[in-house]
Amino acid sequence: MRRYVIVGTGVAAVAAAEAIRQRDPSGTIVLVGMEAEGYYSRPGLAYYLTGEIPEAMLFPFRDADFRRLQVQVVHDRVEGLDPAGQRVRLARRGWLAYDRLLLATGARAARPSWPGVDLEGVVYLDNLAHTRHVIRLARKAKEAVVVGGGITALELAEGLQARRVRVHYLLRGDRYWRRVLDPVESRLVEQRLAQMGIRLHHHTQVAEILGHKGRVTGVRTQDGRVLRCQLVGIAVGIRPRIELAREAGIATDRGILVNPYLETNLPHVYAAGDVAQVFDPRLGQHVLDSLWPLARQQGMAAGANMAGHRVPYRRSTPLNVTRLAHITTAIMGQVGQRDADPDAGLVRGDSEVWRALPDAILAQKSDEVNLIRLMVGRRTLLGAVVMGDQSLVRGLYTLIDRQVDITPIRERLLAPDAPLGDLLAAFWSEVQAHLRTAAAEDGSPPPREASG
Amino acid sequence: MTHWWKALRALFWQQKARMDGVVVPDNSRCVQCGICSYNCPIGIDVRRYAWEGRPIRDDHCVTCGQCVARCPRGVLRFEALARTLQPTP
């Protein structure tokens, strides 16, 4: 009977456990996690903060689900890994032996080194305990300063605003999320934030967090202004938790380096999720994807391999769907720009691909609430941003991920005032029919759609 | 095409989809936040269907569209029943 140990209780860990159990009905599976709450929806924390869902809704799995899977969830901290003895050392329970080990330790919010960063009132949206803390402090706070250029910073700003805290949102550059959004998209988000009552401060960086008796009282900016506040929300990137792996001699870079089978350089040790830096054959390099759906896919592939099936993980085109200032936004493929990075660290939803490849021609359509931006390559679509109506996303994603030849519509797409939505919808229908016919003729499985 | 005509056309297809359709998830976008299940007036655990990538085929589903409208990530959509039931090639 094979012993599977999974370090972590996030989505990669749970997906791996499910995949193992599908293939190995008798092995023992133990999930070890530092958080007492076990598995919950980390992206859902943003909606817990806004008050759209109660805390109880964050838990997709109940105890009965884990019992059905015959998975034991252990609340403990893994202090060490002994690869030669094939065992991990837990803080309270001592040694735990494994035949297959998965490291799904995730990532933590980056901590800046500003003076005052340890004061009571400096908060992150990193885990459930942090979010509870934010909600508790928000009851008394009147003003907050939020710092960071990506999705999580916006979630903090929107969440605090929803809790009737007056929010100052500091941006290092001249507009929101410059690395991914173009000026039109950034301004759209900023207008919405302003309508919600959030005050934006461009070209503004923190010099110091001010405090009194250990509590936050304000923020001093680098240009000498003082913003009074009782809360400082920080989201300036994430750092994969690689300490355990590194101390055990596992090859790491920014994350744990794994091959397409999610194997580390040590035998029987795998990694998946935010901590794993996966080799992408298309790019010829290891990349970090801090996206929930990709973490799930990696967990599924790792679990299958741990159970003895040789299943390569195919890194699909990153698809990040989120909500920015109440606008549902899908970001896929290469959409970034060559401009200098205004925000330090790794931002959730960021992908190296966007920066590694050259800019392509831009075609865009905007009608206030719905916006599509396409990156059009010579023969294929390279990336897209879709804000508002999402009905085109599945088709667009498949065109991008499968690198479908768009020559038949390329010129029309790039024509001034092109009806992008109509062109894409019609082309997608043709492609879909073609893919179905081809699949039926060669007996291969039907086309996979939007599996990002 | 004028805006009111576009809006009317969208409304028509929306209503038609509701009458003829089922709610279908795209589980590659779902982050299991649970807003769908929380807002379902019937108490269907829509999120579980989304995790498993299955259409919401529950006799109690009244296709009210609350889950579709509330999902912050556009995971759910209405799809014509006939198409959903088509055997995959």
Side-chain angles (χ1 to χ4, degrees), chain A residues 92-402:
Chain A
R92 281 183 288 162
R93 289 173 173 76
W95 291 104
L96 177 66
Y98 66 82
D99 296 305
R100 298 288 182 275
L101 175 69
L102 175 66
L103 299 176
T105 43
R108 66 168 67 83
R111 262 66 170 169
S113 55
W114 306 319
V117 83
D118 295 324
L119 288 165
E120 169 80 2
V122 176
V123 296
Y124 304 85
L125 194 63
D126 203 18
N127 55 39
L128 182 51
H130 286 172
T131 311
R132 285 180 185 142
H133 186 56
V134 178
I135 291 171
R136 206 162 40 240
L137 293 178
R139 288 192 192 115
K140 289 183 181 174
K142 289 184 176 162
E143 290 161 308
V145 166
V146 172
V147 188
I151 295 169
T152 311
L154 210 60
E155 290 173 343
L156 266 170
E158 289 184 52
L160 289 168
Q161 185 72 25
R163 290 191 178 264
R164 301 179 186 279
V165 180
R166 189 175 163 80
V167 176
H168 296 273
Y169 182 25
L170 311 193
L171 294 163
R172 283 180 71 172
D174 62 342
R175 59 183 175 85
Y176 173 68
W177 212 9
R178 186 189 182 97
R179 182 160 44 196
V180 172
L181 302 183
D182 78 351
V184 174
E185 295 151 1
S186 294
R187 295 295 172 227
L188 182 63
V189 173
E190 290 185 10
Q191 280 168 12
R192 291 294 187 98
L193 292 177
Q195 284 165 6
M196 289 159 65
I198 293 171
R199 294 189 60 186
L200 284 100
H201 301 259
H202 297 99
H203 301 293
T204 305
Q205 294 185 57
V206 175
E208 181 187 4
I209 300 171
L210 307 170
H212 180 66
K213 292 186 178 175
R215 288 170 187 255
V216 169
T217 57
V219 162
R220 189 192 309 282
T221 63
Q222 288 189 3
D223 55 10
R225 282 179 293 156
V226 172
L227 297 168
R228 219 182 65 164
C229 65
Q230 299 78 48
L231 266 176
V232 178
I234 300 176
V236 292
I238 56 171
R239 302 278 179 273
R241 297 174 194 268
I242 57 173
E243 297 81 6
L244 177 69
R246 200 160 51 192
E247 284 163 18
I250 292 174
T252 59
D253 176 27
R254 286 192 294 152
I256 299 173
L257 296 173
V258 292
N259 67 14
Y261 300 95
L262 284 312
E263 294 166 320
T264 68
N265 62 317
L266 293 186
H268 311 313
V269 181
Y270 300 72
D274 284 0
V275 76
Q277 204 170 336
V278 183
F279 186 74
D280 186 330
R282 286 196 283 190
L283 298 172
Q285 61 184 11
H286 286 85
V287 288
L288 269 174
D289 284 310
S290 38
L291 293 172
W292 215 78
L294 292 191
R296 184 183 179 193
Q297 286 183 10
Q298 290 175 17
M300 289 162 79
N305 285 299
M306 290 164 75
H309 292 240
R310 204 73 178 149
V311 181
Y313 167 71
R314 175 189 172 271
R315 180 177 178 269
S316 44
T317 303
L319 167 64
N320 191 0
V321 189
T322 186
R323 196 175 62 181
L324 305 174
H326 294 170
I327 308 167
T328 301
T329 303
I331 301 158
M332 61 200 101
Q334 308 153 38
V335 294
Q337 303 179 11
R338 279 181 163 176
D339 305 333
D341 173 9
D343 301 304
L346 195 98
V347 182
R348 201 165 72 178
D350 178 26
S351 163
E352 285 87 352
V353 189
W354 298 338
R355 275 172 282 151
L357 291 163
D359 281 355
I361 305 157
L362 209 75
Q364 187 174 279
K365 182 193 180 187
S366 166
D367 58 7
E368 285 187 6
V369 277
N370 297 318
L371 193 144
I372 305 165
R373 175 159 58 97
L374 303 175
M375 302 296 274
V376 184
R378 285 186 182 178
R379 295 173 62 88
T380 57
L381 290 178
L382 304 176
V385 174
V386 180
M387 299 180 87
D389 187 273
Q390 299 287 297
S391 46
L392 280 172
V393 169
R394 280 191 322 129
L396 261 178
Y397 182 82
T398 309
L399 296 179
I400 294 167
D401 188 48
R402 290 176 160 241

